[in-house]
Amino acid sequence: MSVWPAWEVREHGIATSWFNVRLGFGDGARVDVLAVVSGAGVSVEDVQARPPLSLDDLAVLAEWIEGPLSDACGAGPGSAGSGEGPHVPPRRARPAWPRGTEGRRLVAEEYRAAQEEGADPVFAVMRATGHSRRRALRLIAGARDAGFLTPRHVRR
């Protein structure tokens, strides 16, 4: 991943900066992003990807670029933070969720609680974990495989 400044505008002591971000992947895929960093945080102004990004990938794009942008702005770990220039506020996109057996058990509890309330169990897992639908379905499958939920289909 590479980040380089495109331009910066200062108005009334407030800086707004644009950065070009390029993500390269081992399989030849590439994502080019024009990101705006201001006192309000980070926003994505333009995205070009080859091959095109799925909606799930687009949803986590900000997470992918947040760390390198923080470093480029001088707001990363170990930076002095002179008070000048843009600052990327630290944030976590999704709540902390335990891994392993404990996480699978909690997924199963969320799933069963939603079923008992008549709500969508997959959406309940999505809301609890902060993950996309695809990732929530994987977590539910892991809970089934671990024996916390009943099998989806009876094997013949």
Side-chain angles (χ1 to χ4, degrees), residues 41-42 59-66 70 88-94:
V42 177
V60 297
L61 179 64
E63 292 176 29
W64 292 347
I65 65 174
E66 186 174 24
S70 295
V88 180
R91 66 178 178 82
R92 185 166 174 89
R94 59 176 74 95

Side-chain angles (χ1 to χ4, degrees), residues 37-145:
V37 179
S38 66
V42 177
S43 60
V44 174
E45 200 160 286
D46 187 37
V47 177
Q48 295 180 353
R50 293 230 159 92
L53 293 174
S54 69
L55 288 177
D56 291 335
D57 290 340
L58 193 57
V60 297
L61 179 64
E63 292 176 29
W64 292 347
I65 65 174
E66 186 174 24
L69 275 175
S70 295
D71 294 341
C73 295
S79 64
S82 63
E84 292 182 9
H87 174 70
V88 180
R91 66 178 178 82
R92 185 166 174 89
R94 59 176 74 95
W97 193 260
R99 295 179 181 255
T101 304
E102 180 64 17
R104 289 185 206 100
R105 187 183 60 73
L106 291 173
V107 164
E109 287 176 7
E110 289 289 335
Y111 187 94
R112 282 192 300 269
Q115 275 184 326
E116 290 170 5
E117 294 171 4
D120 181 3
V122 177
F123 183 71
V125 171
M126 289 170 57
R127 188 177 53 245
T129 62
H131 287 294
S132 67
R133 183 171 186 82
R134 180 178 293 170
R135 182 68 178 131
L137 288 169
R138 283 190 202 137
L139 291 171
I140 292 166
R144 285 187 198 287
D145 292 344

